[in-house]
Amino acid sequence: MKIKPLGDRVVIKKIEVEEKTKSGIVLPSSAKEQPQMAEVIAVGSGIANDEKKKEELKVGDKVIFSKYAGTEVKVDGEEYTILKLIDILAVIE
Amino acid sequence: MKIKPLGDRVVIKKIEVEEKTKSGIVLPSSAKEQPQMAEVIAVGSGIANDEKKKEELKVGDKVIFSKYAGTEVKVDGEEYTILKLIDILAVIE
Amino acid sequence: MKIKPLGDRVVIKKIEVEEKTKSGIVLPSSAKEQPQMAEVIAVGSGIANDEKKKEELKVGDKVIFSKYAGTEVKVDGEEYTILKLIDILAVIE
Amino acid sequence: MKIKPLGDRVVIKKIEVEEKTKSGIVLPSSAKEQPQMAEVIAVGSGIANDEKKKEELKVGDKVIFSKYAGTEVKVDGEEYTILKLIDILAVIE
Amino acid sequence: MKIKPLGDRVVIKKIEVEEKTKSGIVLPSSAKEQPQMAEVIAVGSGIANDEKKKEELKVGDKVIFSKYAGTEVKVDGEEYTILKLIDILAVIE
Amino acid sequence: MKIKPLGDRVVIKKIEVEEKTKSGIVLPSSAKEQPQMAEVIAVGSGIANDEKKKEELKVGDKVIFSKYAGTEVKVDGEEYTILKLIDILAVIE
Amino acid sequence: MKIKPLGDRVVIKKIEVEEKTKSGIVLPSSAKEQPQMAEVIAVGSGIANDEKKKEELKVGDKVIFSKYAGTEVKVDGEEYTILKLIDILAVIE
């Protein structure tokens, strides 16, 4: 199965980042406060068909997104987030 | 009887997905938190007459929709949901 | 007396649908939760003079409308609801 | 003195309608829940100078208006309501 | 000193109207519920330079304004109210 | 250091006005309820490059501004307020 | 790693300013109420490709920004804030 987001929406898959605190304890991601990183899995036709928008974001990009944005979905046992382009803050290169 | 949604609205019929939890119990759909899947039954003329919109969504498509969106209606004993195109998150292919 | 709605408004008359519950009791319409059906009595000039809108909705159509929308009025002893076209969800054919 | 409403505003004068309840008691208008009827006294230049709007509403029309809309004013001992055209629901003919 | 309101703003000076209640008592204006009358002292360039707006409102006009609108200012010991044109309901002629 | 406000923003410096109450006591400005006066220190390029806006407001103007608008900043030990042009009510001449 | 903000967003890095209070105590920045200063690290393509916007703000500029705006992110151990151009109040020269 493949998720095709509508309009200006994007499908992303969160990237879990292990992180040591100063005292050396590894925090599971749920204990961290930062916005999360993710990889872009699919972009809607509102992005793919817009010259400016498709230049800014493409499948495979690593992105920082607004943590409370979007809807989580599970397809074929994998968890994804569907959110709007406006909720993608930046691309990490 | 046939439901013809107005404007940018869509009529969908929910697809009940049986799902086993990790411990093997089958949850009825009301106990699950995920956005639901549905099949598109009819699209309004605001979609059917718009080149871009009708390319994105057509009758028969399996979709993921925003769970709290739309109005539930019962026609000829069958339950449907009427919602706006903007509340359809993605098409599943 | 005749009600002529202004702008994009519509005058409708509710259709009371008797309905048996599973246990056989007939519920008066006030005990039901569904959006109600109605018949279109008059449409405003904002609809009548717009090619696209008048194609979607005309006097005599059976419609499903958003239950909490509109204002109820009594003219010549008959009860009507005046609401905006945007609050009409679908036409039943 | 004459009230000249600005923009898309309308000056109306409420019409008190005596009404018998089913049990025969005549309710003063303050005990009734319905939107009130009124007569149009003056229309602003935003209506008078707009072809479409002036066709919909003119001085002397009997109208149904949204009960909580507008501001009540007293001029020369007479009470009027100044409200926006958008708060006039329908014309009664 | 002279106040020159910016944009679509208007400077007005309230007119105190003594008024007898039915029982003959003269109410000071603070005990009355009605929107107040005022005289237009100055209009902003957004009105003075707009053909339609300057036709509707000019310095010296007696107006009815929305009681809770605007900001009260004291210049040279005199109290004025600065408010937007949209908060002027009507001109009294 | 010089503050260059962005867009339609303005940098102002408040003018403290000593004022005698009727009983002769001089109130410090924090005890007064009026919107404050200020002098315009700098205007953003959204104003400087707009024919109509730059005609309404320029550096050196004495203005009345909406008391709760804007952000206070301290630069080189001096306090300024950065606010939007829309929050400047009037110019005092 | 490099952060590329999307649209009209900007990546800034806060500048910590040590400041003596009147009594001579040095306040850490968390005890101060002022909007903070920052240096612009990167601007989105919505700014870089817009003649007017790129004239107002460029990489390296010292800016005053609205303290509660934006999202803090940590990249390669360094803390940044991603915010919209509209939340940058002024440039300090």
PDB file of all heavy atoms in Angstrom, chain F residues 4 6, chain G residues 10-12 38-43 47-48 52-63 85 88 91-93:
ATOM      1  N   LYS F   4      16.281  49.723  13.048  1.00  0.00           N
ATOM      2  CA  LYS F   4      15.583  49.838  11.763  1.00  0.00           C
ATOM      3  C   LYS F   4      14.392  48.888  11.785  1.00  0.00           C
ATOM      4  O   LYS F   4      14.571  47.677  11.647  1.00  0.00           O
ATOM      5  CB  LYS F   4      16.564  49.444  10.642  1.00  0.00           C
ATOM      6  CG  LYS F   4      16.207  49.963   9.261  1.00  0.00           C
ATOM      7  CD  LYS F   4      17.254  49.513   8.240  1.00  0.00           C
ATOM      8  CE  LYS F   4      16.715  48.369   7.400  1.00  0.00           C
ATOM      9  NZ  LYS F   4      17.741  47.741   6.544  1.00  0.00           N
ATOM     10  N   LEU F   6      11.184  46.633  10.791  1.00  0.00           N
ATOM     11  CA  LEU F   6      10.863  45.930   9.545  1.00  0.00           C
ATOM     12  C   LEU F   6       9.408  46.177   9.139  1.00  0.00           C
ATOM     13  O   LEU F   6       8.544  46.372   9.983  1.00  0.00           O
ATOM     14  CB  LEU F   6      11.092  44.430   9.708  1.00  0.00           C
ATOM     15  CG  LEU F   6      12.530  43.956   9.932  1.00  0.00           C
ATOM     16  CD1 LEU F   6      12.633  42.460   9.654  1.00  0.00           C
ATOM     17  CD2 LEU F   6      13.516  44.689   9.035  1.00  0.00           C
TER      18      LEU F   6
ATOM     19  N   VAL G  10      12.980  32.142   9.073  1.00  0.00           N
ATOM     20  CA  VAL G  10      14.339  32.596   9.302  1.00  0.00           C
ATOM     21  C   VAL G  10      14.933  31.742  10.418  1.00  0.00           C
ATOM     22  O   VAL G  10      14.229  31.379  11.354  1.00  0.00           O
ATOM     23  CB  VAL G  10      14.334  34.087   9.753  1.00  0.00           C
ATOM     24  CG1 VAL G  10      15.742  34.596  10.009  1.00  0.00           C
ATOM     25  CG2 VAL G  10      13.610  34.955   8.735  1.00  0.00           C
ATOM     26  N   VAL G  11      16.215  31.382  10.307  1.00  0.00           N
ATOM     27  CA  VAL G  11      16.903  30.706  11.408  1.00  0.00           C
ATOM     28  C   VAL G  11      17.794  31.735  12.087  1.00  0.00           C
ATOM     29  O   VAL G  11      18.572  32.429  11.414  1.00  0.00           O
ATOM     30  CB  VAL G  11      17.768  29.527  10.917  1.00  0.00           C
ATOM     31  CG1 VAL G  11      18.532  28.906  12.087  1.00  0.00           C
ATOM     32  CG2 VAL G  11      16.892  28.469  10.243  1.00  0.00           C
ATOM     33  N   ILE G  12      17.626  31.891  13.402  1.00  0.00           N
ATOM     34  CA  ILE G  12      18.454  32.858  14.129  1.00  0.00           C
ATOM     35  C   ILE G  12      19.162  32.173  15.287  1.00  0.00           C
ATOM     36  O   ILE G  12      18.757  31.106  15.737  1.00  0.00           O
ATOM     37  CB  ILE G  12      17.606  34.031  14.682  1.00  0.00           C
ATOM     38  CG1 ILE G  12      16.517  33.507  15.629  1.00  0.00           C
ATOM     39  CG2 ILE G  12      17.010  34.848  13.560  1.00  0.00           C
ATOM     40  CD1 ILE G  12      15.684  34.594  16.285  1.00  0.00           C
ATOM     41  N   ALA G  38      19.372  38.632  18.369  1.00  0.00           N
ATOM     42  CA  ALA G  38      19.845  37.412  17.736  1.00  0.00           C
ATOM     43  C   ALA G  38      20.558  37.770  16.451  1.00  0.00           C
ATOM     44  O   ALA G  38      20.469  38.897  15.961  1.00  0.00           O
ATOM     45  CB  ALA G  38      18.673  36.492  17.432  1.00  0.00           C
ATOM     46  N   GLU G  39      21.281  36.778  15.909  1.00  0.00           N
ATOM     47  CA  GLU G  39      21.943  36.975  14.625  1.00  0.00           C
ATOM     48  C   GLU G  39      21.255  36.068  13.612  1.00  0.00           C
ATOM     49  O   GLU G  39      20.929  34.905  13.917  1.00  0.00           O
ATOM     50  CB  GLU G  39      23.427  36.594  14.742  1.00  0.00           C
ATOM     51  CG  GLU G  39      24.187  36.904  13.460  1.00  0.00           C
ATOM     52  CD  GLU G  39      25.664  36.553  13.550  1.00  0.00           C
ATOM     53  OE1 GLU G  39      26.207  36.492  14.670  1.00  0.00           O
ATOM     54  OE2 GLU G  39      26.248  36.301  12.478  1.00  0.00           O
ATOM     55  N   VAL G  40      21.029  36.576  12.420  1.00  0.00           N
ATOM     56  CA  VAL G  40      20.377  35.787  11.375  1.00  0.00           C
ATOM     57  C   VAL G  40      21.376  34.783  10.792  1.00  0.00           C
ATOM     58  O   VAL G  40      22.459  35.166  10.330  1.00  0.00           O
ATOM     59  CB  VAL G  40      19.814  36.688  10.264  1.00  0.00           C
ATOM     60  CG1 VAL G  40      19.218  35.846   9.138  1.00  0.00           C
ATOM     61  CG2 VAL G  40      18.760  37.632  10.836  1.00  0.00           C
ATOM     62  N   ILE G  41      21.028  33.491  10.833  1.00  0.00           N
ATOM     63  CA  ILE G  41      21.887  32.411  10.352  1.00  0.00           C
ATOM     64  C   ILE G  41      21.500  31.973   8.937  1.00  0.00           C
ATOM     65  O   ILE G  41      22.343  31.661   8.110  1.00  0.00           O
ATOM     66  CB  ILE G  41      21.797  31.192  11.305  1.00  0.00           C
ATOM     67  CG1 ILE G  41      22.188  31.589  12.737  1.00  0.00           C
ATOM     68  CG2 ILE G  41      22.631  30.020  10.810  1.00  0.00           C
ATOM     69  CD1 ILE G  41      23.595  32.106  12.885  1.00  0.00           C
ATOM     70  N   ALA G  42      20.177  31.946   8.672  1.00  0.00           N
ATOM     71  CA  ALA G  42      19.719  31.538   7.342  1.00  0.00           C
ATOM     72  C   ALA G  42      18.333  32.103   7.097  1.00  0.00           C
ATOM     73  O   ALA G  42      17.556  32.292   8.029  1.00  0.00           O
ATOM     74  CB  ALA G  42      19.679  30.006   7.242  1.00  0.00           C
ATOM     75  N   VAL G  43      18.022  32.391   5.820  1.00  0.00           N
ATOM     76  CA  VAL G  43      16.686  32.871   5.470  1.00  0.00           C
ATOM     77  C   VAL G  43      16.086  31.927   4.431  1.00  0.00           C
ATOM     78  O   VAL G  43      16.796  31.356   3.610  1.00  0.00           O
ATOM     79  CB  VAL G  43      16.705  34.317   4.906  1.00  0.00           C
ATOM     80  CG1 VAL G  43      17.274  35.273   5.930  1.00  0.00           C
ATOM     81  CG2 VAL G  43      17.475  34.390   3.605  1.00  0.00           C
ATOM     82  N   ILE G  47      12.075  34.525   1.283  1.00  0.00           N
ATOM     83  CA  ILE G  47      12.705  35.823   1.534  1.00  0.00           C
ATOM     84  C   ILE G  47      13.810  36.067   0.493  1.00  0.00           C
ATOM     85  O   ILE G  47      13.879  37.127  -0.121  1.00  0.00           O
ATOM     86  CB  ILE G  47      13.305  35.867   2.959  1.00  0.00           C
ATOM     87  CG1 ILE G  47      12.189  35.698   4.001  1.00  0.00           C
ATOM     88  CG2 ILE G  47      14.079  37.170   3.194  1.00  0.00           C
ATOM     89  CD1 ILE G  47      12.667  35.395   5.400  1.00  0.00           C
ATOM     90  N   ALA G  48      14.630  35.035   0.288  1.00  0.00           N
ATOM     91  CA  ALA G  48      15.772  35.181  -0.626  1.00  0.00           C
ATOM     92  C   ALA G  48      15.344  35.485  -2.062  1.00  0.00           C
ATOM     93  O   ALA G  48      16.084  36.126  -2.819  1.00  0.00           O
ATOM     94  CB  ALA G  48      16.622  33.914  -0.595  1.00  0.00           C
ATOM     95  N   LYS G  52      11.840  42.785  -2.172  1.00  0.00           N
ATOM     96  CA  LYS G  52      11.623  43.669  -1.019  1.00  0.00           C
ATOM     97  C   LYS G  52      12.078  43.036   0.285  1.00  0.00           C
ATOM     98  O   LYS G  52      12.675  43.679   1.128  1.00  0.00           O
ATOM     99  CB  LYS G  52      10.143  44.037  -0.916  1.00  0.00           C
ATOM    100  CG  LYS G  52       9.715  45.072  -1.943  1.00  0.00           C
ATOM    101  CD  LYS G  52       8.295  45.537  -1.689  1.00  0.00           C
ATOM    102  CE  LYS G  52       7.893  46.569  -2.750  1.00  0.00           C
ATOM    103  NZ  LYS G  52       6.457  46.870  -2.690  1.00  0.00           N
ATOM    104  N   LYS G  53      11.751  41.744   0.455  1.00  0.00           N
ATOM    105  CA  LYS G  53      12.083  41.098   1.715  1.00  0.00           C
ATOM    106  C   LYS G  53      13.586  40.909   1.898  1.00  0.00           C
ATOM    107  O   LYS G  53      14.108  41.068   2.985  1.00  0.00           O
ATOM    108  CB  LYS G  53      11.357  39.748   1.813  1.00  0.00           C
ATOM    109  CG  LYS G  53       9.860  39.904   2.016  1.00  0.00           C
ATOM    110  CD  LYS G  53       9.132  38.578   1.918  1.00  0.00           C
ATOM    111  CE  LYS G  53       7.635  38.794   2.074  1.00  0.00           C
ATOM    112  NZ  LYS G  53       6.867  37.576   1.752  1.00  0.00           N
ATOM    113  N   LYS G  54      14.286  40.567   0.811  1.00  0.00           N
ATOM    114  CA  LYS G  54      15.725  40.317   0.971  1.00  0.00           C
ATOM    115  C   LYS G  54      16.493  41.619   1.189  1.00  0.00           C
ATOM    116  O   LYS G  54      17.621  41.603   1.671  1.00  0.00           O
ATOM    117  CB  LYS G  54      16.271  39.512  -0.210  1.00  0.00           C
ATOM    118  CG  LYS G  54      16.626  40.269  -1.452  1.00  0.00           C
ATOM    119  CD  LYS G  54      17.182  39.288  -2.484  1.00  0.00           C
ATOM    120  CE  LYS G  54      17.638  40.016  -3.744  1.00  0.00           C
ATOM    121  NZ  LYS G  54      17.862  39.086  -4.843  1.00  0.00           N
ATOM    122  N   GLU G  55      15.869  42.723   0.854  1.00  0.00           N
ATOM    123  CA  GLU G  55      16.484  44.018   1.113  1.00  0.00           C
ATOM    124  C   GLU G  55      16.391  44.363   2.599  1.00  0.00           C
ATOM    125  O   GLU G  55      17.212  45.076   3.146  1.00  0.00           O
ATOM    126  CB  GLU G  55      15.735  45.070   0.287  1.00  0.00           C
ATOM    127  CG  GLU G  55      16.477  46.351   0.049  1.00  0.00           C
ATOM    128  CD  GLU G  55      15.686  47.239  -0.889  1.00  0.00           C
ATOM    129  OE1 GLU G  55      15.561  46.882  -2.092  1.00  0.00           O
ATOM    130  OE2 GLU G  55      15.167  48.269  -0.429  1.00  0.00           O
ATOM    131  N   GLU G  56      15.346  43.837   3.233  1.00  0.00           N
ATOM    132  CA  GLU G  56      15.117  44.149   4.652  1.00  0.00           C
ATOM    133  C   GLU G  56      15.945  43.279   5.606  1.00  0.00           C
ATOM    134  O   GLU G  56      16.299  43.715   6.687  1.00  0.00           O
ATOM    135  CB  GLU G  56      13.626  43.931   4.993  1.00  0.00           C
ATOM    136  CG  GLU G  56      12.729  45.080   4.583  1.00  0.00           C
ATOM    137  CD  GLU G  56      11.437  45.051   5.368  1.00  0.00           C
ATOM    138  OE1 GLU G  56      10.770  43.994   5.348  1.00  0.00           O
ATOM    139  OE2 GLU G  56      11.090  46.048   6.002  1.00  0.00           O
ATOM    140  N   LEU G  57      16.189  42.032   5.194  1.00  0.00           N
ATOM    141  CA  LEU G  57      16.841  41.097   6.122  1.00  0.00           C
ATOM    142  C   LEU G  57      17.802  40.181   5.387  1.00  0.00           C
ATOM    143  O   LEU G  57      17.447  39.564   4.389  1.00  0.00           O
ATOM    144  CB  LEU G  57      15.753  40.231   6.794  1.00  0.00           C
ATOM    145  CG  LEU G  57      16.216  39.478   8.040  1.00  0.00           C
ATOM    146  CD1 LEU G  57      16.280  40.424   9.216  1.00  0.00           C
ATOM    147  CD2 LEU G  57      15.284  38.327   8.356  1.00  0.00           C
ATOM    148  N   LYS G  58      19.053  40.075   5.915  1.00  0.00           N
ATOM    149  CA  LYS G  58      19.994  39.163   5.279  1.00  0.00           C
ATOM    150  C   LYS G  58      20.828  38.444   6.349  1.00  0.00           C
ATOM    151  O   LYS G  58      20.888  38.875   7.515  1.00  0.00           O
ATOM    152  CB  LYS G  58      20.891  39.903   4.288  1.00  0.00           C
ATOM    153  CG  LYS G  58      21.691  41.033   4.893  1.00  0.00           C
ATOM    154  CD  LYS G  58      22.501  41.768   3.835  1.00  0.00           C
ATOM    155  CE  LYS G  58      23.436  42.745   4.525  1.00  0.00           C
ATOM    156  NZ  LYS G  58      22.688  43.777   5.285  1.00  0.00           N
ATOM    157  N   VAL G  59      21.447  37.366   5.929  1.00  0.00           N
ATOM    158  CA  VAL G  59      22.276  36.582   6.851  1.00  0.00           C
ATOM    159  C   VAL G  59      23.332  37.484   7.483  1.00  0.00           C
ATOM    160  O   VAL G  59      23.961  38.287   6.790  1.00  0.00           O
ATOM    161  CB  VAL G  59      22.926  35.391   6.105  1.00  0.00           C
ATOM    162  CG1 VAL G  59      23.951  34.691   6.989  1.00  0.00           C
ATOM    163  CG2 VAL G  59      21.845  34.409   5.656  1.00  0.00           C
ATOM    164  N   GLY G  60      23.512  37.374   8.812  1.00  0.00           N
ATOM    165  CA  GLY G  60      24.505  38.179   9.508  1.00  0.00           C
ATOM    166  C   GLY G  60      23.896  39.371  10.245  1.00  0.00           C
ATOM    167  O   GLY G  60      24.518  39.922  11.150  1.00  0.00           O
ATOM    168  N   ASP G  61      22.664  39.758   9.839  1.00  0.00           N
ATOM    169  CA  ASP G  61      22.006  40.890  10.506  1.00  0.00           C
ATOM    170  C   ASP G  61      21.779  40.596  11.986  1.00  0.00           C
ATOM    171  O   ASP G  61      21.459  39.465  12.375  1.00  0.00           O
ATOM    172  CB  ASP G  61      20.639  41.178   9.850  1.00  0.00           C
ATOM    173  CG  ASP G  61      20.761  41.999   8.579  1.00  0.00           C
ATOM    174  OD1 ASP G  61      21.876  42.456   8.272  1.00  0.00           O
ATOM    175  OD2 ASP G  61      19.735  42.176   7.894  1.00  0.00           O
ATOM    176  N   LYS G  62      21.953  41.647  12.811  1.00  0.00           N
ATOM    177  CA  LYS G  62      21.581  41.567  14.222  1.00  0.00           C
ATOM    178  C   LYS G  62      20.122  42.013  14.301  1.00  0.00           C
ATOM    179  O   LYS G  62      19.781  43.098  13.805  1.00  0.00           O
ATOM    180  CB  LYS G  62      22.434  42.508  15.081  1.00  0.00           C
ATOM    181  CG  LYS G  62      23.923  42.250  15.009  1.00  0.00           C
ATOM    182  CD  LYS G  62      24.320  41.027  15.803  1.00  0.00           C
ATOM    183  CE  LYS G  62      25.829  40.786  15.676  1.00  0.00           C
ATOM    184  NZ  LYS G  62      26.249  40.422  14.283  1.00  0.00           N
ATOM    185  N   VAL G  63      19.282  41.192  14.943  1.00  0.00           N
ATOM    186  CA  VAL G  63      17.846  41.527  14.965  1.00  0.00           C
ATOM    187  C   VAL G  63      17.259  41.473  16.376  1.00  0.00           C
ATOM    188  O   VAL G  63      17.812  40.825  17.266  1.00  0.00           O
ATOM    189  CB  VAL G  63      17.031  40.568  14.063  1.00  0.00           C
ATOM    190  CG1 VAL G  63      17.446  40.716  12.620  1.00  0.00           C
ATOM    191  CG2 VAL G  63      17.173  39.127  14.536  1.00  0.00           C
ATOM    192  N   LEU G  85       9.480  35.592   9.310  1.00  0.00           N
ATOM    193  CA  LEU G  85       9.978  36.948   9.098  1.00  0.00           C
ATOM    194  C   LEU G  85       9.113  37.947   9.857  1.00  0.00           C
ATOM    195  O   LEU G  85       9.610  38.928  10.423  1.00  0.00           O
ATOM    196  CB  LEU G  85       9.961  37.259   7.592  1.00  0.00           C
ATOM    197  CG  LEU G  85      10.306  38.685   7.187  1.00  0.00           C
ATOM    198  CD1 LEU G  85      11.677  39.082   7.675  1.00  0.00           C
ATOM    199  CD2 LEU G  85      10.216  38.867   5.676  1.00  0.00           C
ATOM    200  N   ILE G  88      10.204  39.028  13.277  1.00  0.00           N
ATOM    201  CA  ILE G  88      11.408  39.847  13.454  1.00  0.00           C
ATOM    202  C   ILE G  88      10.936  41.299  13.523  1.00  0.00           C
ATOM    203  O   ILE G  88      10.299  41.790  12.595  1.00  0.00           O
ATOM    204  CB  ILE G  88      12.387  39.686  12.261  1.00  0.00           C
ATOM    205  CG1 ILE G  88      12.736  38.222  12.003  1.00  0.00           C
ATOM    206  CG2 ILE G  88      13.624  40.555  12.479  1.00  0.00           C
ATOM    207  CD1 ILE G  88      13.833  37.651  12.823  1.00  0.00           C
ATOM    208  N   VAL G  91      15.917  45.445  12.784  1.00  0.00           N
ATOM    209  CA  VAL G  91      17.341  45.152  12.607  1.00  0.00           C
ATOM    210  C   VAL G  91      18.107  46.221  13.374  1.00  0.00           C
ATOM    211  O   VAL G  91      17.738  47.402  13.348  1.00  0.00           O
ATOM    212  CB  VAL G  91      17.711  45.180  11.105  1.00  0.00           C
ATOM    213  CG1 VAL G  91      19.223  45.083  10.930  1.00  0.00           C
ATOM    214  CG2 VAL G  91      17.034  44.042  10.357  1.00  0.00           C
ATOM    215  N   ILE G  92      19.157  45.802  14.085  1.00  0.00           N
ATOM    216  CA  ILE G  92      19.999  46.761  14.814  1.00  0.00           C
ATOM    217  C   ILE G  92      21.258  47.010  13.996  1.00  0.00           C
ATOM    218  O   ILE G  92      21.952  46.054  13.621  1.00  0.00           O
ATOM    219  CB  ILE G  92      20.404  46.176  16.205  1.00  0.00           C
ATOM    220  CG1 ILE G  92      19.174  45.903  17.061  1.00  0.00           C
ATOM    221  CG2 ILE G  92      21.378  47.117  16.921  1.00  0.00           C
ATOM    222  CD1 ILE G  92      18.428  47.141  17.479  1.00  0.00           C
ATOM    223  N   GLU G  93      21.528  48.258  13.686  1.00  0.00           N
ATOM    224  CA  GLU G  93      22.726  48.565  12.896  1.00  0.00           C
ATOM    225  C   GLU G  93      23.751  49.311  13.729  1.00  0.00           C
ATOM    226  O   GLU G  93      23.397  50.195  14.501  1.00  0.00           O
ATOM    227  CB  GLU G  93      22.323  49.413  11.691  1.00  0.00           C
ATOM    228  CG  GLU G  93      21.484  48.606  10.694  1.00  0.00           C
ATOM    229  CD  GLU G  93      21.019  49.462   9.521  1.00  0.00           C
ATOM    230  OE1 GLU G  93      20.912  50.696   9.690  1.00  0.00           O
ATOM    231  OE2 GLU G  93      20.749  48.895   8.457  1.00  0.00           O
TER     232      GLU G  93
END
